[in-house]
DNA sequence: CTGAAAGCGCTAACAG
DNA sequence: CTGTTAGCGCTTTCAG
């Protein structure tokens, strides 16, 4: 095989177009286009000739032209807070897998958990996509903007009052379950290491946390929930603050993978021992949860499945469904390991 | 703010086009297009009228039409083995940040470390992108295909004989450094937990590993390098195999983040103690490397920087540069923690 | 089933 | 500086 370098300016020999194929096949452009595009009807004989001509010219349909003419861009925009977050990476993967099977591709953008950037990203790719999958930041304006001209499905976070397909997990129930587990192990003063409650899923998780405490008859102690940025560093800071209080909380509930990591770091740095000195349960499972000692008890969510489901929903919409908005809530699972202490 | 649902079939009110804007502004379509597109020259007076009309009609340029007419798609295709790999996620992030500043967006695809899928992905998005950034699988055919009609820059892995811009790190030197560190700590029988040597970067890292041993006068023991898939599971299996040998290797060098994670898991499961029973150094730093005890000594690579650099290179090419292919090799850094044992 | 012709919405000469 | 005129490559009526 020859290994040419990059296509240089000069040598850009024109690529074959439908017109070229038609000419070589001896049919009209329309017929060639029909055979190539797989629409309309073409006699078997004509189809053969066209297909032969096409392969002889190594014809490749121009997707941009196709999109302009037909209006179908076969592209869906994915806007997440941060692809570097394994949660979003895994969801992106699931989504990617399903849309690809339908011949769609993914346009990716990061919003950095920032509504301005989210809106900017939407504006920037709006005309190139048929639909959006997004995990909306704090307010609804981005999602509303996206929904204005495209189909949209919300991932991981809902938006009250916006009637749009949504894929989430049972955040409140999962969090509640986690805290009940802590409670069952005898812990009473349970702190929460959380990112912004403006994030819908975080808000729900905090709600579950509070519900569990309330049900157990434990008085509300607002200073036991510590808020940080949605990064490991943010989790570290929030946890450090919490662990500075006296008396020390007996247990911590972390609302996301990054918050969990930050909490572990803070606990380590303060010379505390996980489980023995302080119990921990995190929301969202991670690769490293079982690599550390003791392994971390977590609320596992079906992340890839969330992405896949979002893909199915958006594909249905693009196929023309105008069914009422669907809210898919996937179940979570408490995976008991040893960071919360043993019974 | 009103929160409408998804755009429904019927209500798709036409969006304003340049023609509409021109009409309202009372100028020709061309003038409107010029004012809107920011090219050619337009009198200040005309520009104002056009811009006013545009905002009155909330005109949004149609990028697809623009791409077809101009040939510039303002999109670059990113093809990585797997976005779920934090290495690629971080590189994607760096890349995304720079191309976005230039008004470009990213089309994402996963190749799963599989040349067929890589080629399919390239074919699938070929006509929609101006260039590709890809981390090529085993053979050169994908990269060659991409380079045929687009600009391409290779990320993380080079390809011998293909004259294309490439961003890598000093893989051999980094690996060598890691193994020398192990050697310096007194370890002699050093195993390698590696993914496929068909992957260019892995091959280089293995080369560095061997060079270090050779220099130290340690006889080559081919059965000390164990190969697995490029996943944590693959690393686990490869490491488990290695740790089944007697005498037990004294140390392990893992060629990637996933291989390192797999090695840690295998070590744990066999009841071995990191550092005490077996030393470990991994290539590529991770979030959790300092979360586990002992923290893992690693060869850190400037991952985001790699993505950014790739972005700069591709942007230069798209700007028309026809400079000879550049091979950027970023430096790595041995971050000594405690998994290799202490002096 | 097939061809002719009209766009999709924009950029890009080319005159003036 | 501005208008006119062609397309970009494909899909989509509309006749036949």
């Amino acid at each position: 095989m020859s290994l040419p370098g990059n296509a240089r300016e000069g040598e850009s020999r024109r690529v074959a177009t439908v017109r070229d194929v038609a000419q070589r096949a001896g049919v009209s452009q329309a017929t060639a286009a029909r055979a190539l595009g797989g629409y309309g009807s073409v006699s078997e004989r004509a189809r053969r000739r066209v297909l032969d001509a096409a392969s002889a010219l190594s014809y490749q349909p121009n997707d941009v032209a196709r999109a302009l003419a037909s209006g179908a861009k076969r592209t869906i925009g994915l806007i997440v807070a941060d692809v570097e977050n394994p949660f979003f990476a895994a969801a992106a993967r699931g989504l990617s897998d399903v849309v690809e099977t339908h011949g769609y591709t993914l346009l990716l953008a990061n919003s950095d958990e920032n509504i301005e950037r989210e809106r900017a990203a939407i504006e920037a790719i709006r005309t190139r996509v048929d639909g959006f999958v997004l995990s909306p930041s704090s307010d609804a304006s981005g999602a509303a903007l996206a929904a204005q001209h495209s189909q949209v499905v919300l991932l991981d976070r809902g938006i009250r009052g916006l009637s749009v397909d949504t894929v989430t997990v049972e955040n409140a129930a999962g969090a509640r379950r986690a805290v009940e587990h802590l409670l069952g192990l005898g812990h009473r003063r349970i702190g929460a290491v959380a990112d912004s409650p403006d994030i819908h899923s975080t808000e729900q998780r905090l709600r579950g946390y509070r519900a569990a405490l309330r049900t157990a008859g434990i008085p509300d102690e607002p200073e036991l929930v510590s808020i940080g940025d949605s990064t490991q560093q943010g989790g570290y800071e929030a946890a450090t603050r919490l662990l500075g209080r006296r008396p020390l909380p007996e247990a911590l509930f972390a609302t996301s993978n990054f918050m969990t990591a930050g909490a572990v770091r803070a606990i380590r740095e303060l010379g505390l021992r996980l489980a023995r000195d302080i119990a921990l349960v995190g929301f969202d499972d991670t690769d490293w949860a079982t690599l550390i000692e003791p392994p971390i008890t977590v609320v596992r969510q079906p992340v890839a499945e969330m992405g896949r489901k979002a893909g199915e929903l958006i594909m249905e919409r693009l196929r023309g469904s105008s069914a009422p908005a669907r809210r898919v809530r996937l179940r979570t699972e408490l995976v008991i390991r040893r960071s919360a202490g043993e019974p």
Side-chain angles (χ1 to χ4, degrees), chain A:
Chain A
M1 177 191 314
S2 80
L3 298 179
N6 270 343
R8 285 287 173 284
E9 303 307 272
E11 61 176 81
S12 68
R13 47 187 171 334
R14 254 179 72 277
V15 290
T17 71
V18 207
R19 187 173 257 91
D20 301 323
V21 175
Q23 200 160 349
R24 185 178 231 264
V27 299
S28 74
Q29 204 241 50
T31 299
R34 280 192 273 253
L36 260 13
Y39 55 90
S41 35
V42 187
S43 68
E44 196 40 42
R45 184 160 159 342
R47 169 189 316 289
R48 278 248 64 76
R49 303 184 45 124
V50 171
L51 264 27
D52 288 350
S55 81
L57 298 174
S58 49
Y59 166 79
Q60 294 274 134
N62 179 327
D63 290 333
V64 175
R66 192 170 267 188
L68 178 60
S70 71
K73 298 115 200 172
R74 310 217 121 228
T75 304
I76 94 112
L78 171 61
I79 300 184
V80 294
D82 180 11
V83 247
E84 283 196 74
N85 184 328
F87 170 83
F88 290 120
R93 190 55 211 271
L95 175 64
S96 165
D97 288 347
V98 354
V99 303
E100 271 175 25
T101 34
H102 292 265
Y104 279 66
T105 55
L106 239 44
L107 215 43
L108 177 72
N110 297 97
S111 70
D112 287 331
E113 216 63 272
N114 169 340
I115 186 67
E116 293 306 333
R117 293 202 44 154
E118 179 179 319
R119 283 214 300 269
I122 291 169
E123 292 280 13
I125 66 179
R126 200 213 260 265
T127 63
R128 330 175 155 208
V129 303
D130 301 303
F132 283 98
V133 169
L134 79 159
S135 44
S137 302
S138 45
D139 87 50
S141 63
L145 179 63
Q148 214 168 302
H149 300 291
S150 312
Q151 300 295 336
V152 4
V153 2
L154 266 25
L155 179 66
D156 181 50
R157 312 164 179 187
I159 285 187
R160 242 179 298 286
L162 222 203
S163 158
V164 146
D165 292 338
T166 306
V167 179
T168 56
V169 293
E170 299 179 329
N171 285 303
R176 180 172 185 141
R177 186 77 208 293
V179 176
E180 284 168 352
H181 175 66
L182 254 9
L183 255 8
L185 259 20
H187 304 297
R188 314 296 295 173
R189 297 197 73 230
I190 303 175
V193 180
D195 47 358
S196 172
D198 288 348
I199 297 171
H200 179 261
S201 47
T202 301
E203 182 211 333
Q204 298 297 310
R205 291 169 198 174
L206 247 16
R207 176 193 307 283
Y209 155 83
R210 292 201 183 92
L213 294 182
R214 191 178 329 113
T215 303
I218 296 179
D220 195 30
E221 275 190 78
E223 63 281 13
L224 242 36
V225 356
S226 185
I227 308 294
D229 288 343
S230 300
T231 59
Q232 184 182 136
Q233 179 63 20
Y236 168 77
E237 289 165 10
T240 300
R241 237 174 293 126
L242 212 44
L243 297 173
R245 308 192 76 83
R246 289 297 172 276
L248 195 66
E250 297 154 18
L252 257 32
F253 165 62
T255 61
S256 76
N257 55 2
F258 281 164
M259 302 321 272
T260 304
V264 170
R265 189 179 303 286
I267 289 169
R268 283 281 156 69
E269 239 170 63
L270 261 20
L272 264 20
R273 290 163 306 174
L274 261 172
R276 302 182 85 75
D277 300 321
I278 184 141
L280 174 66
V281 174
F283 205 109
D284 196 18
D285 198 4
T286 66
D287 268 1
W288 52 265
T290 54
L291 253 29
I292 77 175
E293 186 47 46
I296 310 288
T297 292
V298 299
V299 177
R300 172 186 293 158
Q301 25 179 10
V303 192
E305 177 60 20
M306 293 174 75
R308 268 183 252 119
K309 195 68 204 174
E312 285 162 21
L313 290 180
I314 192 86
M315 292 315 308
E316 274 179 37
R317 288 295 174 194
L318 294 182
R319 232 180 273 121
S321 159
S322 57
R326 298 204 279 161
R327 315 203 115 94
V328 177
R329 306 179 113 211
L330 269 15
R331 237 192 293 280
T332 60
E333 175 194 3
L334 179 67
V335 181
I336 299 176
R337 298 204 267 242
R338 299 199 324 272
S339 63
E342 279 165 289

